[in-house]
Amino acid sequence: MTENTKDGDRSADESTGMVYLVGSGPGDPDLLTVKAKRLLETAEVVLHDKLPGPDIIGMIPESNREDVGKRAGGEWTPQEYTNRRLVELATAGKTVVRLKGGDPFVFGRGGEEMEHLAENGVPFEVVPGITSAIAGPGVAGIPVTHRDHVSSVSFVTGHEDPTKNESAIDWGALAATGGTLVVLMGVGKLPLYTDALLEAGMAPETPVALVERATWPDMRVATGTLESIVGVRDEAGIEPPAITVIGEVAATRDQVLEFLQNGEQQ
Ligand code: SAH
């Protein structure tokens, strides 16, 4: 099916609003797309969580913000609430931004929200963002691919418990690719998947880096090996949001560190 959605007939009636599913990039406001910045300044309502970071959230006029992230008490706002709220606002004729950290479709539940909008006849536009999965390693001096070392990269959620049977992630198969592994949401369960990778035969000396709050003013990077990284994490007190990079490319940082001007150097 070929359709020009830009100029296509929008069947929704004129009074229906519009939802923009916007990626904020990893947190530095200079890494917002021009379009994302314009939309943040002009949208009537912006639904966001904490991941875009304080600098970007601070750019949204306060009266237009709705936080749909973690609530006081640590509970997440239910996804159903966010879905319902997007439809409700659009149906009331509002121009709405649903702001997500990084890119909206990389572990961001953007896919679910888009489907819900379509099911409810709400017009929407997708505004991609720079994903932390590539930019996080990048600003730490780690290229996710490198002609000399590796020609594939896998993006994985570290949120699942690999010891549970229902885990959909086959760490053995990932180890066997020989490519770079970039793990998101993987700080808490780090020991579980480093163990799984070691068990699958990945070399204990494989370089690993943790990039915490990439591109934020207080970004930190910690490096080690598959065997040592859990201790490194504990000692440095690395917390979410952080990216785990596993593979030969993680060692590139050390070679360029002297000249790397991004963020805090450790
Ligand atoms: N859609 C986002 C990812 C959402 S999942 C993106 O494309 O970047 C949330 C995870 O993203 C976090 O647990 C962390 O692993 C990662 N993340 C997002 N922003 C980050 C940042 N600035 N620094 C390090 N990790 C980040």
Side-chain angles (χ1 to χ4, degrees):
M1 187 165 66
T2 317
E3 259 177 39
N4 184 343
T5 49
K6 267 239 152 5
D7 301 319
D9 261 339
R10 270 202 358 211
S11 53
D13 73 72
E14 294 285 297
S15 62
T16 305
M18 173 80 177
V19 173
Y20 294 89
L21 291 169
V22 180
S24 73
D28 177 350
D30 281 356
L31 296 177
L32 279 167
T33 61
V34 174
K35 189 162 187 168
K37 182 170 184 288
R38 176 164 52 75
L39 288 169
L40 287 184
E41 289 162 353
T42 56
E44 293 170 278
V45 188
V46 180
L47 267 64
H48 67 89
D49 49 48
K50 300 275 185 304
L51 195 58
D55 290 348
I56 288 174
I57 292 167
M59 291 168 62
I60 309 163
E62 211 160 329
S63 54
N64 297 354
R65 289 182 212 162
E66 277 189 31
D67 190 340
V68 291
K70 265 203 184 119
R71 294 178 161 168
E75 287 293 302
W76 282 96
T77 303
Q79 185 64 43
E80 297 69 40
Y81 171 84
T82 306
N83 288 353
R84 202 169 353 121
R85 186 72 184 135
L86 286 172
V87 172
E88 188 176 272
L89 288 164
T91 310
K94 303 277 188 206
T95 303
V96 185
V97 163
R98 172 66 176 112
L99 186 69
K100 291 178 170 290
D103 183 90
F105 289 164
V106 178
F107 299 125
R109 307 192 74 162
E112 289 163 62
E113 291 176 15
M114 175 176 72
E115 285 168 345
H116 187 77
L117 293 170
E119 275 162 23
N120 286 275
V122 173
F124 63 87
E125 202 176 310
V126 180
V127 182
I130 296 178
T131 180
S132 67
I134 296 173
V139 294
I142 301 168
V144 291
T145 69
H146 191 301
R147 202 178 144 90
D148 295 341
H149 306 299
V150 72
S151 51
S152 76
V153 53
S154 305
F155 301 108
V156 191
T157 170
H159 203 60
E160 293 183 18
D161 186 340
T163 61
K164 292 245 174 77
N165 289 336
E166 66 264 30
S167 173
I169 297 168
D170 183 343
W171 292 97
L174 287 168
T177 64
T180 307
L181 304 182
V182 176
V183 186
L184 287 83
M185 297 177 282
V187 180
K189 298 205 164 85
L190 184 66
L192 298 180
Y193 58 87
T194 49
D195 280 356
L197 289 169
L198 286 166
E199 232 166 76
M202 194 181 260
E205 61 275 12
T206 306
V208 181
L210 299 170
V211 188
E212 181 191 57
R213 293 191 294 275
T215 82
W216 295 27
D218 54 353
M219 157 173 159
R220 294 195 301 163
V221 183
T223 55
T225 64
L226 197 55
E227 210 171 28
S228 72
I229 197 68
V230 173
V232 170
R233 174 201 68 175
D234 293 345
E235 192 158 318
I238 300 286
E239 286 185 358
I243 296 286
T244 312
V245 198
I246 304 168
E248 285 308 316
V249 289
T252 313
R253 172 177 169 81
D254 294 334
Q255 294 164 31
V256 300
L257 195 53
E258 193 183 340
F259 300 102
L260 182 68
Q261 304 295 309
N262 298 81
E264 189 182 325
Q265 323 259 312
Q266 288 201 344

